[in-house]
């Protein structure tokens, strides 16, 4: 089954082409980062307009590069939530109309299920059950996964998401939005132990997170250093290092607790922040200590992409699911509302 995946939930236009038997045949990504950078965050209306400009050319590009034609498609998958309403509508309208014109089934995909199953695009996909840490710009969730569509929320952020904490702290350090990756690069030059930030909620039981206090702590340090006239490049790097260590340690500790509570031996990380190398290293070491395994998507598929949407589409269409011929989006859509399906195919990289 050959499925086209369309991702337009935020500021990336992603297209993927996934075949149940042959795996990922092609994908392309256009990032709007430069468009939004000067505003310090995503401007929803600009995002929607840019998705309109980019989606069809990218679909044509992916089909051409992989030697496929529109009529070869067996189904079309598009992200219908969660995300920005206008941005989602572009992908949903294009995906649904294309399916109607080609007389093929369409499937509305949950963006976070895309992230969660992205490690199945890798050659050594995780078996069920596993604990998933979903860390993106809008979500920080720990989920017990016992099958496709069988998700139980173990804990989540009560305020800022991990990516949001990265981005806000990056702005405070003078880095452009979204600054997560840039802050991580700056942290590499930072000296350990120069700044020790709070590890939010580690002293309490449970698997929820809170990151707004960490961001406020960064704000206070930056202000103090600025007033004292000592906020040079080395100080910025030291603060970035202290912030990253606090956040990564918090995520690692909660992941370890989740593995202990569930008794599972597999940990999956996904979402933009899972591209963070310190996080990947710390989680790998923790997993090894517990005789567990860490599964992470390749760096390109940690952040938003069309490949993960095509994959979920192929899995759900193969199980007989399809979405009625109406263009609908679900900007708020709890992961636990998804329907379970039997696993019929496996990711083949
Ligand atoms: O999953 P994603 O592409 O979009 C959402 O669905 O939100 O995640 C984007 C988030 C941003 O907050 C970005 O700063 C963060 O992922 N991010 C990183 C890194 N790369 C991306 N955060 C920390 N370290 C990185 N290397
Ligand atoms: Zn995402």
């Amino acid at each position: 089954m050959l499925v086209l995946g369309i991702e337009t939930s935020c500021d990336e236009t992603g297209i993927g082409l996934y075949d149940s038997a042959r795996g990922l045949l092609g994908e392309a990504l256009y990032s709007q980062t430069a468009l939004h950078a000067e505003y310090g965050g995503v401007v929803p209306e600009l995002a929607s307009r840019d998705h309109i400009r980019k989606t069809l050319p990218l679909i044509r590009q992916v089909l051409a590069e992989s030697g496929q034609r529109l009529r070869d498609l067996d189904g079309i998958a598009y992200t219908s939530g969660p995300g920005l309403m206008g941005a989602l509508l572009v992908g949903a309208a294009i995906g649904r109309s294309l399916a109607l014109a080609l007389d093929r089934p369409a499937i509305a995909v949950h963006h976070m299920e895309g992230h969660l199953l992205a490690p199945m695009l890798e050659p050594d996909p995780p078996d069920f059950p596993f604990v998933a840490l979903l860390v993106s710009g809008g979500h920080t969730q720990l989920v017990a996964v016992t099958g496709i569509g069988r998700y139980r929320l173990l804990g989540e952020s009560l305020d800022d998401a991990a990516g949001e904490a990265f981005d806000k702290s990056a702005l405070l350090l003078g880095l452009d939005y979204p600054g997560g990756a840039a802050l991580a690069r700056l942290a590499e030059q930072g000296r350990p132990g120069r700044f020790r930030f709070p590890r939010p909620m580690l002293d309490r039981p449970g698997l929820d997170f809170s990151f707004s206090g960490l961001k406020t702590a960064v704000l206070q340090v930056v202000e103090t250093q600025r007033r004292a006239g000592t906020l040079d490049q080395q100080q910025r790097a030291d603060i970035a290092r202290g912030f990253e260590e606090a956040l990564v340690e918090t995520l690692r500790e909660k992941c370890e607790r989740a593995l202990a509570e569930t008794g599972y031996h597999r940990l999956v990380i996904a979402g933009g922040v899972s591209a963070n190398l310190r996080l990947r290293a710390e989680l790998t070491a923790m997993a090894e200590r517990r005789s567990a395994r860490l599964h992470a998507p390749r760096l390109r598929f940690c952040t938003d992409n069309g490949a993960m949407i095509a994959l979920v589409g192929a899995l759900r269409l193969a199980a007989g699911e399809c979405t009625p011929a109406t263009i609908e989006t679900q900007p708020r859509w709890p992961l636990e509302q998804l329907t379970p399906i039997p696993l019929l195919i496996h990711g083949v990289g």
Side-chain angles (χ1 to χ4, degrees):
M1 173 172 269
L2 183 65
V3 176
L4 181 76
I6 304 173
E7 157 62 37
T8 64
S9 68
C10 190
D11 58 349
E12 252 110 29
T13 317
I15 302 298
L17 193 59
Y18 186 88
D19 183 79
S20 320
R22 293 174 287 170
L24 188 65
L25 299 188
E27 56 100 19
L29 188 76
Y30 175 82
S31 174
Q32 303 177 350
T33 306
L35 181 69
H36 303 289
E38 66 175 292
Y39 303 99
V42 177
V43 184
E45 182 60 24
L46 292 182
S48 316
R49 290 185 200 185
D50 210 47
H51 285 308
I52 293 173
R53 279 193 287 270
K54 295 294 175 340
T55 307
L56 284 175
L58 278 185
I59 292 175
R60 282 195 201 101
Q61 180 190 326
V62 169
L63 286 171
E65 283 171 1
S66 49
Q68 307 292 319
R69 293 153 306 175
L70 272 178
R71 71 179 112 101
D72 296 328
L73 298 174
D74 298 306
I76 300 184
Y78 53 88
T79 305
S80 81
L84 302 170
M85 167 76 100
L88 290 166
L89 263 175
V90 177
I94 292 176
R96 202 64 204 76
S97 317
L98 206 53
L100 203 62
L102 295 170
D103 195 22
R104 302 285 194 279
I107 181 95
V109 172
H110 191 294
H111 179 77
M112 298 312 288
E113 182 172 52
H115 277 307
L116 202 152
L117 298 181
M120 290 178 70
L121 290 162
E122 303 306 328
D124 181 20
D127 283 328
F128 301 107
F130 56 77
V131 167
L133 173 69
L134 299 176
V135 267
S136 68
H139 290 80
T140 303
Q141 296 181 324
L142 271 166
V143 186
V145 180
T146 48
I148 293 172
R150 296 179 193 278
Y151 310 130
R152 183 166 58 87
L153 191 65
L154 300 170
E156 64 183 335
S157 179
L158 305 177
D159 40 56
D160 292 355
E164 202 177 346
F166 260 104
D167 294 339
K168 287 178 176 170
S169 300
L171 277 180
L172 293 171
L173 290 168
L175 303 167
D176 278 348
Y177 180 89
L183 187 151
R185 277 195 299 278
L186 183 61
E188 281 169 24
Q189 269 104 55
R191 294 164 296 186
R194 290 295 167 123
F195 292 95
R196 189 177 161 83
F197 291 107
R199 271 67 173 152
M201 297 184 73
L202 275 196
D203 50 344
R204 280 183 249 169
L207 295 171
D208 286 332
F209 304 90
S210 164
F211 293 119
S212 67
L214 182 54
K215 169 200 67 196
T216 310
V218 171
L219 172 69
Q220 279 162 353
V221 168
V222 168
E223 295 276 284
T224 308
Q225 299 289 334
R226 188 171 284 139
R227 273 198 299 273
T230 51
L231 191 64
D232 59 12
Q233 186 62 8
Q234 186 59 54
Q235 287 277 20
R236 281 200 182 85
D238 292 345
I239 295 170
R241 174 84 187 236
F243 164 83
E244 192 182 46
E245 279 175 357
L247 193 131
V248 165
E249 194 182 312
T250 309
L251 293 175
R252 187 202 60 211
E253 170 67 23
K254 298 279 163 134
C255 285
E256 187 157 12
R257 281 187 204 171
L259 287 174
E261 273 184 28
T262 54
Y264 298 167
H265 291 280
R266 277 175 290 267
L267 176 65
V268 159
I269 51 168
V273 181
S274 68
N276 185 273
L277 296 180
R278 186 177 301 278
L279 178 65
R280 290 164 90 105
E282 292 266 333
L283 291 179
T284 305
M286 181 273 284
E288 268 170 25
R289 246 191 300 116
R290 301 185 57 86
S291 307
R293 265 211 58 191
L294 177 72
H295 291 267
R298 71 194 82 167
L299 292 181
R300 184 171 172 81
F301 294 158
C302 286
T303 41
D304 292 348
N305 65 85
M308 65 185 192
I309 304 304
L311 166 76
V312 173
L315 291 166
R316 290 196 169 270
L317 285 168
E321 258 187 46
C322 80
T323 305
T326 51
I327 296 165
E328 276 178 34
T329 59
Q330 299 167 81
R332 289 179 189 281
W333 186 5
L335 201 53
E336 285 171 304
Q337 280 179 4
L338 292 174
T339 46
I341 59 160
L343 182 61
L344 299 177
I345 57 167
H346 233 278
V348 212

